[in-house]
Amino acid sequence: MGILDGKTALVTGGGRGIGRGIVLELAKAGSDIVVADIDLENAQKTATETRALDRKVTVVEMDVTQETSVTAGICTAIAEHSRVDLLVNNAGVVGNHVRSEVDLRDWDMCYQVNLKGIWIVSRAVVSHFKEKGGGKIVNIASIAGRHGSAGHAHYSASKAGAISVTQSLAKELGRFNINVNAVCPGLLWTDMWRQLEGMFGGDASREAVNQRKVFERIVKQNCPLGREQTPEDVGMAVVFLASHQARNITGQALNVDGGMQMN
Ligand SMILES: NC(=O)c1ccc[n+]([C@@H]2O[C@H](COP(=O)([O-])OP(=O)(O)OC[C@H]3O[C@@H](n4cnc5c(N)ncnc54)[C@H](O)[C@@H]3O)[C@@H](O)[C@H]2O)c1
């Protein structure tokens, strides 16, 4: 018996990294899964792993920034599973560089995916939640949304916005028995981190920098617990927020960061 038996969860960006970890933890807790990702190939890989846990899994190709794509994905999810109980807005981008002069394209991309995407997908699922008497939304924000970061204004601002959207939706939707919370991950060694060229010395010296060693040093210097976080850590927090045990929790942002940020 899992604490999410009989539930169906839709996870955006479930094809790799943190999203994949969330999918697997939800499935271990008993939930059936809809993997929604712009990257169909990775989504299929996560789905195959999840089916091995004996769960019903559907894959939908979804671009969270495009309303028609989102609506089609939600319709497929409901048609296949008869219900969606949990939406995890995990899809996110960081832009390609860390530098003081952020490229406008990076800024727009972060805003579109990390912030507007949450709103588009949430809006598409909420009418279904209202019809069935409730539901849960968990947004994957970041500790970067708790404070500014030099050279990273576009990402931090989008994640601060994600926390703010979480609070607004929680206030708006509480009366429909819909809980809306956020998880703020800390430092996870995913593909997203590996894209941060500037963080590792810039394009020219990229080859010379041992990215993993730099990452480990950042973890050691910043985490009181002294260890990096994993997609499973984030997945377990999502399982809790999706469960009956969290029925009276809404509008909160839970840091899963080894103690880096304490409020
Ligand atoms: N890695 C970290 O250290 C870290 C820390 C804090 C927060 N986060 C957040 O966690 C989430 C997942 O990050 P990750 O490290 O796994 O990143 P990742 O780049 O490894 O994975 C992101 C996933 O989102 C999907 N995606 C991107 N744009 C999309 C779109 N428009 N529509 C649908 N899917 C899209 C990608 O295909 C990919 O599967 C993001 O929101 C990220 O901001 C990551």
Side-chain angles (χ1 to χ4, degrees):
M1 278 280 287
I3 57 172
L4 298 181
D5 276 352
K7 306 285 185 196
T8 295
L10 185 147
V11 182
T12 69
R16 73 179 194 201
I18 293 174
R20 172 182 164 274
I22 293 169
V23 164
L24 292 173
E25 289 305 315
L26 288 168
K28 281 188 224 161
S31 183
D32 289 333
I33 301 288
V34 180
V35 185
D37 205 302
I38 200 168
D39 182 338
L40 200 53
E41 203 180 318
N42 276 341
Q44 296 287 9
K45 284 186 196 157
T46 301
T48 304
E49 280 182 87
T50 312
R51 287 190 191 103
L53 297 169
D54 233 7
R55 298 284 165 252
K56 177 171 174 169
V57 185
T58 301
V59 170
V60 294
E61 188 174 11
M62 180 187 287
D63 179 348
V64 299
T65 69
Q66 301 301 318
E67 205 170 3
T68 45
S69 165
V70 169
T71 310
I74 302 286
C75 283
T76 304
I78 295 169
E80 288 290 322
H81 293 257
S82 317
R83 58 190 295 144
V84 173
D85 304 283
L86 166 69
L87 163 65
V88 185
N89 283 308
N90 162 79
V93 292
V94 74
N96 289 328
H97 301 273
V98 178
R99 54 177 180 248
S100 50
E101 282 180 51
V102 172
D103 192 311
L104 267 183
R105 282 167 307 180
D106 288 342
W107 187 280
D108 287 344
M109 202 166 65
C110 278
Y111 171 78
Q112 291 289 335
V113 180
N114 300 352
L115 187 52
K116 201 170 159 192
I118 288 181
W119 192 74
I120 292 175
V121 187
S122 299
R123 196 174 61 159
V125 97
V126 155
S127 52
H128 171 66
F129 282 178
K130 285 180 181 170
E131 272 167 30
K132 70 178 200 59
K136 292 195 157 73
I137 298 175
V138 180
N139 298 322
I140 306 305
S142 171
I143 55 158
R146 299 286 202 184
H147 47 69
S149 28
H152 224 172
H154 57 315
Y155 182 72
S156 285
S158 73
K159 291 299 184 178
I163 295 170
S164 177
V165 165
T166 300
Q167 294 165 348
S168 297
L169 289 178
K171 287 185 178 175
E172 206 172 302
L173 300 173
R175 69 194 173 98
F176 300 106
N177 191 31
I178 300 171
N179 304 50
V180 189
N181 290 291
V183 173
C184 297
L187 298 167
L188 292 92
W189 185 244
T190 63
D191 288 324
M192 180 173 276
W193 255 88
R194 289 186 280 267
Q195 284 166 17
L196 295 176
E197 292 168 3
M199 190 79 98
F200 299 109
D203 294 346
S205 57
R206 193 169 189 196
E207 294 302 310
V209 176
N210 183 329
Q211 296 189 359
R212 177 66 204 177
K213 280 217 153 41
V214 176
F215 177 81
E216 283 169 8
R217 197 178 64 230
I218 294 171
V219 170
K220 274 257 161 327
Q221 284 169 350
N222 292 288
C223 288
L225 285 176
R227 56 176 175 260
E228 69 197 81
Q229 292 78 63
T230 67
E232 293 71 30
D233 293 332
V234 178
M236 288 187 281
V238 172
V239 167
F240 168 66
L241 289 172
S243 72
H244 177 72
Q245 282 80 347
R247 69 186 178 145
N248 251 328
I249 299 175
T250 199
Q252 305 305 307
L254 175 63
N255 300 331
V256 178
D257 67 347
M260 270 191 292
Q261 183 73 31
M262 297 206 178
N263 55 33

